[in-house]
Amino acid sequence: MLPPITYSAEGHDAVAYGEKANDSSLLINAVLKEPFPPISLPKKEYMEKALEIWNELGLPEVKPKSPWYGYSLDNGTGSWKKKQSSP
């Protein structure tokens, strides 16, 4: 872990010394603290179809690791499906 930058001389930014800085910067730790759910992966039905096509083409064997498909964030009302199907 990097130590925080606690002081910068007035008129200089912490990285490039020289001309006066007229702005500021902020460092954010964006490292995940826990596993992220696979919501960005395609649904199971699409991944299974893709695997089927892959195998039909005779491509090298795929060994899926869990999770290998995503899931919907729909709240059970079907509102996401309605939005997806409407133009």
Side-chain angles (χ1 to χ4, degrees):
M1 182 168 184
L2 297 173
I5 299 171
T6 56
Y7 174 76
S8 178
E10 186 177 340
H12 294 84
D13 71 31
V15 178
Y17 295 98
E19 296 185 29
K20 291 186 177 186
N22 293 324
D23 58 357
S24 62
S25 60
L26 174 67
L27 178 65
I28 298 174
N29 180 359
V31 176
L32 293 175
K33 307 284 188 278
E34 55 194 50
F36 193 72
I39 57 174
S40 62
L41 296 172
K43 292 193 299 186
K44 185 176 182 178
E45 62 191 73
Y46 296 118
M47 294 298 279
E48 288 175 341
K49 182 65 178 173
L51 183 59
E52 183 182 314
I53 293 169
W54 183 273
N55 292 331
E56 286 175 6
L57 293 173
L59 297 170
E61 182 183 356
V62 174
K63 297 175 185 172
K65 295 181 182 176
S66 182
W68 70 287
Y69 57 87
Y71 57 87
S72 172
L73 293 178
D74 194 358
N75 60 5
T77 63
S79 60
W80 283 95
K81 287 184 181 181
K82 289 177 194 171
K83 289 178 185 176
Q84 290 172 345
S85 62
S86 64

